[in-house]
Amino acid sequence: MLIKNVTVLTMNSNKDIIENGVVVFDDDIIIDIGEESIIKNYPNHEVIDGKEGILIPGFINAHTHCSMIAFRSLGDDVPNRLKRYLFPLEKMLVDKEIVALGSKYGICEMALAGVTTFADMYYFEDEVAKSTKEIGLRGILGETIVDFIAPDAKKPYEGLEYCNWFIDKWKDDNLIIPAVAPHAPYSSDTLHLQKAFYLAEEKDVPIIMHIAEMDYESEKYMNEYNLTPVQYLDSIGVLNSRMLGAHLIKVNDEDLEILKKREVGISHNIGANAKGAHGVAPAYKMYNMGLKLGLGTDGPMSGNTLDMFTQMGLVAKIHKLVNNDRTIFSADQILEMATIGGARALNLDKKIGSIEIGKKADLVLVETESINMQPIYDYYSVLVYSANSSNVSTVIVDGKIIVKDKALLTQDYRSLSNEFKKIKDRVMTIANTL
Ligand SMILES: [Zn+2]
């Protein structure tokens, strides 16, 4: 296939922009990029007219729990939400069916918003993998490990056994990268954090974990070891380049040096962090230090949206605000974190994250016909400050068209909405007791 009549924001190392550009791909691989004149070299390719839209690499949502969409808008403004509300709610309600339904719906929402790759951690992650395949996105999917009885674990740490099985099942899939996902340092003991790490080493898969998100987490490691959470994890030998850390809010300069030295990937989740009043991670410092930094939405009970446009706008504005400097984090740097930055954090930057010959055809066309898209003096600025997910018109993942003219081709999400109505009473009855 060939896409013409677009402005290509390549997000390559020069951040080259090609106006009136063309991108050609055979099956799942990009084979040529250039100006209109290259079209004549491909007389037999199917042509997509981009209608003067902006073509970008697919967004990478570096941290979410998409199945939690089943509980979106429930109990948003309560104190101590995670332990008092969310964990009990999950224990009583989450089953295979809810994860299957929630993940399908969440992945539909991501696809329509131009997310082509996402990193997820939850329970019954096999259901998330099946939904991801069905809709056709790329997923780095981790089964959660915790030190308590969980929706799919009859005893503490049973997630480790699930991971073992789950990884073997999906290891060779073209769209799924299975992962090990200990929930957080404080919800596993040292031995089991190390077991999770060695399992990831043995199977050669990523490890995903919330790190340095909570005040009580920092207090625990300071009281017990006189260390920060990052220093504690480093001291037990579980930080290396296969680690994707979500949040990393409560970090000092020494922690940042450790993250750089160990090549830890980072998902910065500003929307969820702001809503949870957890603080602002030093993302600008991380970016300037050259850390592997991507952006994530977090779960839709924490951040409520799964789209990267919302994240990009918030990242730009909140960091300018807290640094009292309107010049920091230029719009191109923001788009970089939402695309190739996320790919770096996931160690996938040789495969995805930019529009370059030899890379996977994971492409998103943002139309420029809607009222909020004109005029355009700076493409990056339009994407970060005035576009939204409803401007995504075509989404291609692994060379296949998933969204065309704003319609999702691989799933009927409206029928899924009706399923949520059926479980609403059951959810509310339990939520009212918490
Ligand atoms: Zn999370």
Side-chain angles (χ1 to χ4, degrees):
M1 266 183 266
L2 172 163
I3 305 177
K4 67 165 192 178
N5 197 14
V6 289
T7 298
V8 185
L9 305 191
T10 61
M11 302 314 291
N12 65 14
S13 54
N14 294 324
K15 290 189 180 150
D16 288 327
I17 297 176
I18 306 165
E19 289 182 321
N20 200 7
V22 174
V23 173
V24 190
F25 53 99
D26 276 352
D27 298 322
D28 55 335
I29 301 291
I30 297 168
I31 60 158
D32 205 357
I33 305 160
E35 292 178 352
E36 206 180 5
S37 57
I38 68 168
I39 295 179
K40 63 178 184 307
N41 302 332
Y42 304 96
N44 299 320
H45 277 61
E46 185 186 329
V47 176
I48 302 170
D49 183 356
K51 298 177 184 166
E52 299 183 11
I54 305 170
L55 191 73
I56 58 173
F59 287 117
I60 295 172
N61 182 356
H63 179 66
T64 189
H65 321 272
C66 65
S67 313
M68 291 172 81
I69 206 126
F71 309 122
R72 174 156 65 188
S73 82
L74 183 68
D76 266 336
D77 306 315
V78 298
N80 192 16
R81 191 163 152 275
L82 183 70
K83 285 186 173 170
R84 201 199 77 183
Y85 199 79
L86 196 54
F87 282 160
L89 190 69
E90 285 182 328
K91 198 172 161 188
M92 285 186 263
L93 268 170
V94 169
D95 58 20
K96 237 183 199 183
E97 287 67 37
I98 285 184
V99 171
L101 172 62
S103 60
K104 261 184 224 168
Y105 196 87
I107 294 164
C108 288
E109 184 170 333
M110 285 194 273
L112 284 162
V115 172
T116 56
T117 297
F118 68 104
D120 189 274
M121 58 195 277
Y122 207 54
Y123 305 107
F124 299 105
E125 200 67 18
D126 187 49
E127 300 303 316
V128 184
K130 286 189 244 171
S131 303
T132 308
K133 281 295 277 185
E134 202 174 307
I135 296 156
L137 260 62
R138 218 179 276 288
I140 293 79
L141 311 176
E143 167 70 16
T144 299
I145 297 158
V146 283
D147 62 357
F148 49 84
I149 293 165
D152 60 353
K154 292 187 193 65
K155 57 181 201 289
Y157 303 115
E158 209 175 77
L160 272 167
E161 291 160 41
Y162 189 110
C163 276
N164 211 344
W165 164 81
F166 173 69
I167 293 165
D168 288 345
K169 179 175 174 185
W170 291 97
K171 205 169 183 305
D172 299 319
D173 193 86
N174 67 324
L175 292 175
I176 310 294
I177 298 175
V180 181
H183 165 264
Y186 58 85
S187 52
S188 285
D189 61 23
T190 303
L191 176 69
H192 287 88
L193 286 173
Q194 289 168 327
K195 279 190 176 180
F197 175 80
Y198 288 122
L199 179 64
E201 286 282 306
E202 181 199 323
K203 302 275 186 191
D204 192 22
V205 294
I207 180 164
I208 310 173
M209 180 159 53
H210 298 107
I211 305 174
E213 179 188 12
M214 304 294 190
D215 284 328
Y216 57 73
E217 179 184 351
S218 298
E219 283 159 19
K220 173 184 160 71
Y221 294 104
M222 198 44 74
N223 291 338
E224 289 178 21
Y225 303 99
N226 200 25
L227 296 173
T228 64
V230 169
Q231 290 159 10
Y232 159 74
L233 291 172
D234 195 39
S235 74
I236 64 166
V238 300
L239 294 183
N240 69 6
S241 64
R242 69 176 72 250
M243 176 67 79
L244 174 69
H247 304 303
L248 289 152
I249 303 166
K250 324 281 178 187
V251 289
N252 60 27
D253 287 349
E254 197 186 323
D255 294 338
L256 295 181
E257 291 298 340
I258 292 171
L259 296 171
K260 186 168 173 70
K261 190 169 147 200
R262 302 291 182 215
E263 298 176 31
V264 172
I266 300 167
S267 177
H268 177 43
N269 316 307
I270 194 81
N273 295 160
K275 181 163 166 267
H278 293 312
V280 180
Y284 190 59
K285 217 178 220 181
M286 291 169 173
Y287 179 90
N288 285 319
M289 285 175 70
L291 299 188
K292 293 156 56 181
L293 182 63
L295 306 182
T297 60
D298 208 350
M301 253 193 110
S302 313
N304 298 49
T305 74
L306 288 168
D307 82 274
M308 299 297 286
F309 289 97
T310 304
Q311 302 311 313
M312 291 199 298
L314 285 171
V315 171
K317 288 170 211 166
I318 291 177
H319 285 283
K320 287 170 196 293
L321 185 64
V322 298
N323 288 284
N324 195 24
D325 183 353
R326 65 171 297 128
T327 68
I328 69 159
F329 265 148
S330 55
D332 64 295
Q333 292 173 336
I334 300 283
L335 187 68
E336 179 188 335
M337 287 188 285
T339 55
I340 187 72
R344 286 184 203 120
L346 295 165
N347 298 315
L348 291 173
D349 48 316
K350 290 196 167 60
K351 236 168 101 173
I352 59 171
S354 59
I355 303 178
E356 296 184 76
I357 292 171
K359 281 201 171 181
K360 294 282 185 185
D362 287 8
L363 305 165
V364 169
L365 181 65
V366 182
E367 49 84 6
T368 53
E369 293 164 339
S370 291
I371 192 158
N372 63 317
M373 294 300 287
Q374 294 290 338
I376 301 175
Y377 296 103
D378 181 309
Y379 296 103
Y380 297 110
S381 193
V382 166
L383 290 173
V384 171
Y385 295 115
S386 46
N388 61 60
S389 58
S390 76
N391 300 120
V392 169
S393 64
T394 297
V395 178
I396 295 165
V397 186
D398 211 38
K400 293 184 187 67
I401 300 177
I402 306 291
V403 174
K404 193 177 182 197
D405 298 329
K406 302 192 178 184
L408 181 61
L409 305 182
T410 51
Q411 189 81 211
D412 173 16
Y413 74 84
R414 287 179 186 84
S415 71
L416 300 174
S417 319
N418 292 330
E419 295 296 313
F420 285 130
K421 287 175 193 150
K422 289 183 199 160
I423 62 168
K424 193 174 170 187
D425 286 347
R426 188 154 60 99
V427 174
M428 282 309 295
T429 306
I430 292 174
N432 287 335
T433 66
L434 298 173

